[in-house]
Amino acid sequence: QQQVKQSPQSLIVQKGGISIINCAYENTAFDYFPWYQQFPGKGPALLIAIRPDVSEKKEGRFTISFNKSAKQFSLHIMDSQPGDSATYFCAASPNYGGATNKLIFGTGTLLAVQP
Amino acid sequence: GAVVSQHPSWVICKSGTSVKIECRSLDFQATTMFWYRQFPKQSLMLMATSNEGSKATYEQGVEKDKFLINHASLTLSTLTVTSAHPEDSSFYICSAPRGGKQFFGPGTRLTVL
């Protein structure tokens, strides 16, 4: 019940295209859903996050879509660029308090944006 | 955003020795910090929650006597890998919450020979 399932494992997108990564969870107590970007040898960097009270959040080229009833959420990267090539992790925070609590990470998606 | 630093960024040690990794919140105070371990091409796995002024909380399967955590101040948490072995070689990353978000350090690459 603590798992966060992420797909696909890897993704190749052409420059200018849309990258879509999906995550699903079981635990209805999760109340904070961030997405992180990680480059090789670096720590994860927060991209965007959402809470269950909204169905969509957009920041620049990044959009999170959230389906509470299906317990699924996804990251959309519009106008994908070669610089977006990295590993993306979804995560969820159990219990209350949001980001002050521990994060459960998805398995990661390796994105390659071809020029 | 908030800044979290780690030291060292990489370390190589001999089997059987102990290694200390520091995690600092540079421009904010953190009563709680988190330690994760990441093996190559894998996800981040939470090891423990570091609590300022009290004992750390370890995740199931993590040996508390092997991975010693000390949260000595509101800006510093340390992870000591005791009697390190080659299977402990990994990327160790800490995080700290601020303003409703989790900020991660740059990670420490540990290689045990």
Side-chain angles (χ1 to χ4, degrees), chain B residues 53-108:
Chain B
S54 64
K55 292 183 179 180
T57 306
Y58 290 83
E59 295 299 302
Q60 190 173 10
V62 177
E63 300 175 59
K64 60 181 65 176
D65 294 331
K66 180 170 184 60
F67 298 99
L68 301 179
I69 292 173
N70 183 26
H71 199 137
S73 74
L74 288 171
T75 59
L76 173 64
S77 175
T78 60
L79 168 67
T80 301
V81 183
T82 63
S83 186
H85 288 93
E87 57 265 32
D88 298 322
S89 298
S90 187
F91 194 49
Y92 292 86
I93 312 172
C94 69
S95 74
R98 185 191 188 193
K101 300 177 182 178
Q102 283 276 2
F103 294 91
F104 283 80
T108 296

Side-chain angles (χ1 to χ4, degrees), chain B residues 7-69:
Chain B
H7 178 79
S9 56
W10 59 269
V11 57
I12 301 173
C13 70
K14 293 182 178 180
S15 184
T17 60
S18 295
V19 173
K20 179 184 286 188
I21 302 170
E22 293 184 348
C23 176
R24 293 182 185 273
S25 54
L26 294 185
D27 55 353
F28 65 103
Q29 295 182 332
T31 57
T32 301
M33 293 183 178
F34 301 94
W35 286 97
Y36 294 83
R37 180 168 53 181
Q38 185 179 33
F39 292 107
K41 299 188 185 301
Q42 294 189 22
S43 187
L44 287 80
M45 297 300 295
L46 179 67
M47 298 176 66
T49 302
S50 176
N51 304 298
E52 191 270 334
S54 64
K55 292 183 179 180
T57 306
Y58 290 83
E59 295 299 302
Q60 190 173 10
V62 177
E63 300 175 59
K64 60 181 65 176
D65 294 331
K66 180 170 184 60
F67 298 99
L68 301 179
I69 292 173

Side-chain angles (χ1 to χ4, degrees), chain A residues 51-63:
Chain A
R51 297 190 184 275
D53 53 343
V54 297
S55 60
E56 185 175 284
K57 184 175 181 180
K58 182 177 181 179
E59 290 184 1
R61 296 186 294 113
F62 302 97
T63 299

Side-chain angles (χ1 to χ4, degrees), chain A residues 7-86:
Chain A
S7 64
Q9 186 175 6
S10 62
L11 180 61
I12 300 174
V13 173
Q14 295 297 315
K15 179 181 176 181
I18 303 173
S19 303
I20 302 175
I21 305 171
N22 301 297
C23 284
Y25 63 97
E26 295 285 333
N27 191 343
T28 55
F30 288 160
D31 68 348
Y32 174 71
F33 303 89
W35 284 90
Y36 285 86
Q37 178 190 59
Q38 185 180 33
F39 293 104
K42 305 295 183 182
L46 179 64
L47 273 179
I48 187 172
I50 198 168
R51 297 190 184 275
D53 53 343
V54 297
S55 60
E56 185 175 284
K57 184 175 181 180
K58 182 177 181 179
E59 290 184 1
R61 296 186 294 113
F62 302 97
T63 299
I64 299 179
S65 296
F66 186 82
N67 186 330
K68 187 175 181 178
S69 60
K71 291 184 283 188
Q72 296 175 347
F73 58 109
S74 60
L75 175 69
H76 295 230
I77 305 175
M78 313 300 287
D79 187 27
S80 299
Q81 299 296 313
D84 296 330
S85 298

